[in-house]
Amino acid sequence: PLGSQNPESLMRGMSTALCVDPDGLMWFSTVGGCGYFDPTIDQAVNVGIHERVPASSVVVDEDGGVWFQFQSLYRYDKETELLIRYPAEEYFRVSSLTVDSYGTPWCTSDTGELYRYEHRTDRFRKERTDGIRIVKGISNGLLLLVDEAEDVWVLVPENNREECIFRCAQSGGRSVLSLLERRPGEYWIGTQVGIWIYIQGEGLKS
């Protein structure tokens, strides 16, 4: 693998998150740190995050800022090389991170709260407190949510309208582990016991 010949390489060891920004740069997190691969110098560049474990996810927002998810969040601006840790004022532990189709970051806390990042105030605003465990951005500004009962919902943030598309207990599932939008209106739901597909207008299929 890349970096395997150099013990000090940032790209050595377990990697849990990869992301490509609009400029084509590959961003990643490993046990060695967080950074991006610069093809002009053929090596990785460390952005200066010091955590004991790799990030759970890496996403890019509408302004090109790169977010790394640990129990807290870091945003790195490549143009200014500015690194900021969030949340700065209201403390919560992050359990999932995503960006919606407009490039706005959303996250959930380990206590079931849903937050949206506000560029104007540079803070995360609490949107919901009803036990949301996972958030996933999909097309048209919509969100997929997984609640504490492991049910999956489609949320329209603009008017807070929601629709349940998967009842875990009724489907014989256990924990929801992954979510994917294959195309608008078609959602794949990965659980501990199998995969379900929800198609708008047709319902749930296994």
Side-chain angles (χ1 to χ4, degrees):
L2 289 170
S4 61
Q5 303 303 314
N6 179 5
E8 303 303 322
S9 173
L10 178 62
M11 300 179 74
R12 181 180 174 86
M14 180 176 64
S15 178
T16 54
L18 297 169
C19 181
V20 179
D21 70 15
D23 296 325
L25 285 179
M26 176 66 73
W27 296 81
F28 57 87
S29 176
T30 69
V31 292
C34 299
Y36 62 94
F37 184 77
D38 189 338
T40 63
I41 57 176
D42 196 33
Q43 68 180 41
V45 178
N46 197 323
V47 301
I49 298 174
H50 303 288
E51 295 279 351
R52 297 180 180 178
V53 295
S56 300
S57 61
V58 182
V59 300
V60 180
D61 67 25
E62 61 180 322
D63 296 323
V66 182
W67 294 78
F68 298 87
Q69 176 202 340
F70 296 90
Q71 287 189 345
S72 48
L73 299 171
Y74 294 85
R75 183 183 188 272
Y76 181 76
D77 187 320
K78 187 175 180 297
E79 296 298 321
T80 63
E81 298 186 349
L82 179 65
L83 178 67
I84 300 176
R85 182 175 180 173
Y86 297 85
E89 297 182 22
E90 183 177 0
Y91 179 77
F92 60 89
R93 291 183 177 178
V94 179
S95 59
S96 71
L97 169 69
T98 192
V99 291
D100 63 23
S101 58
Y102 305 127
T104 300
W106 294 74
C107 70
T108 56
S109 72
D110 63 351
T111 53
E113 298 156 327
L114 177 67
Y115 291 83
R116 172 173 19 194
Y117 176 70
E118 287 188 329
H119 292 267
R120 180 179 56 84
T121 61
D122 193 29
R123 293 185 60 185
F124 278 88
R125 186 179 71 186
K126 189 183 300 183
E127 297 286 335
R128 298 176 65 132
T129 60
D130 51 347
I132 304 302
R133 190 174 68 81
I134 298 174
V135 58
K136 173 80 172 178
I138 53 177
S139 59
N140 301 317
L142 305 179
L143 300 174
L144 290 177
L145 305 177
V146 180
D147 64 19
E148 292 176 333
E150 302 297 326
D151 296 337
V152 180
W153 302 75
V154 176
L155 174 70
V156 183
E158 293 178 357
N159 57 21
N160 212 31
R161 183 167 55 87
E162 59 185 26
E163 175 189 2
C164 184
I165 63 171
F166 178 77
R167 296 284 185 184
C168 193
Q170 296 177 7
S171 304
R174 296 182 183 174
S175 295
V176 174
L177 302 177
S178 58
L179 298 168
L180 173 70
E181 180 186 44
R182 183 170 178 265
R183 56 190 175 190
E186 181 178 326
Y187 312 121
W188 291 55
I189 303 164
T191 74
Q192 286 182 331
V193 295
I195 298 173
W196 277 261
I197 304 169
Y198 176 86
I199 300 177
Q200 196 170 31
E202 298 181 25
L204 193 66
K205 301 179 179 181
S206 60

